[in-house]
Every structure is written in C-alpha cells, then in structure tokens.
C-alpha cells in the first residue's frame, strides 16, 4: 500500500458526511460547513506543500496539514462576506463563459470580469438564495465525488 492510499480511505467518508450536511442543512449550519470545508482545503494544501518541500517526511507533512487546516477554517469563517462575493463571482464567470461558448463567440475577458463582479455583488444582496443554491450543489458534488 502506498503512502497516499490511506488518505483516500479517510477523505472519502469525510467528504460524504460533509456533503450530506452541506446539501440538506447548508443554510442552517453555513459557518460550520465553511469551517469544515476550509479545514479540508487547508489541510490538503498544507500536506501537498510539505510533501513537495520535504518528500518522504510524513510527520512534517502531518503537522503542516494540521496547521493549514486550522488556518483554512479560520479564514473561511472570518472572511464570510468575501467568500459569498467570490461564490457569486465564480458563478457569474462560469455563466458568462457558457454564454460566449454557446453563441460560438470567443470569450471576452473584460466582459467576463464585469459579469463576475455583477454576480458577486448580486450574491451579496441575495445571500440566502446564493448560500442555499451553492451549498446544495457543492454538497451533492461531495457526496457523488
């Protein structure tokens, strides 16, 4: 068994549990879900960074993963409104790129940026709707992935 086999066995059930929580109770526990997802992303980043800088030192990678996880959780909870803005902006960028692709035209970066900022501001105005829709889609993705 290689070094990474146990990580898949650990992250799979965690992703399913977090996905179910986010999908069905996402708006009620949005800060907890943001913290858990931030911890998972930060831990993955810390683990990857440590293994790229010091390959073969799993204990150092584990410490870096724990530090990265705590930092990711804190940042996701602390920068709540910025996260909502980025959520809307990413949805706007995807929607604008899909419209350009669907019409057969080349994507214009300036127009995609304008639509992304507009969607980000709209997400700040319609926070509840954006949180409900995004936690439902991201939770269902985590369960199926």
């Amino acid at each position: 068994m290689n070094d990474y086999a146990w990580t898949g066995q650990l992250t799979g059930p965690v992703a399913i549990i977090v996905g179910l929580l986010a999908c069905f109770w996402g708006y009620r526990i949005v800060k907890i879900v943001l913290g858990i997802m931030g911890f998972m992303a930060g831990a993955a980043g810390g683990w990857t960074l440590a293994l790229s800088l010091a390959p073969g030192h799993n204990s150092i990678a584990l410490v870096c993963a724990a530090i990265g996880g705590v930092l990711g959780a804190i940042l996701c909870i602390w920068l709540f409104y910025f996260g909502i803005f980025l959520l809307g902006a990413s949805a706007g960028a995807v929607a604008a790129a899909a419209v350009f692709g669907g019409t057969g035209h080349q994507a214009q970066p300036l127009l995609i940026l304008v639509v992304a900022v507009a969607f980000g501001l709209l997400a700040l105005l319609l926070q509840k709707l954006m949180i409900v829709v995004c936690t439902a889609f991201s939770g269902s993705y985590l369960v199926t992935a």
Side-chain angles (χ1 to χ4, degrees):
M1 185 187 285
N2 64 14
D3 291 337
Y4 300 110
W6 66 272
T7 58
Q9 294 174 352
L10 176 69
T11 56
V14 170
I16 290 171
I17 292 168
V18 171
L20 287 172
L21 287 173
C23 189
F24 295 109
W25 297 284
Y27 184 74
R28 291 186 184 127
I29 58 170
V30 68
K31 290 211 176 193
I32 295 171
V33 170
L34 281 175
I36 292 171
M37 289 186 172
F39 184 86
M40 290 170 53
W47 181 268
T48 304
L49 179 68
L51 284 183
S52 67
L53 295 177
H57 294 90
N58 288 339
S59 59
I60 294 173
L62 188 60
V63 170
C64 288
I67 292 171
V70 169
L71 287 175
I74 290 170
L75 284 176
C76 276
I77 293 171
W78 185 48
L79 300 174
F80 177 75
Y81 293 111
F82 183 65
I84 298 296
F85 176 81
L86 287 179
L87 197 65
S90 62
V94 168
V99 167
F100 276 117
T103 59
H105 293 88
Q106 176 136 3
Q108 302 296 322
L110 183 61
L111 288 176
I112 290 178
L113 180 66
V114 168
V115 172
V117 170
F119 269 63
L121 293 174
L122 188 64
L124 287 174
L125 293 173
L126 303 172
Q127 287 181 20
K128 182 175 181 176
L129 177 67
M130 184 59 72
I131 291 170
V132 167
V133 169
C134 289
T135 55
F137 281 113
S138 63
S140 63
Y141 173 76
L142 280 174
V143 170
T144 58

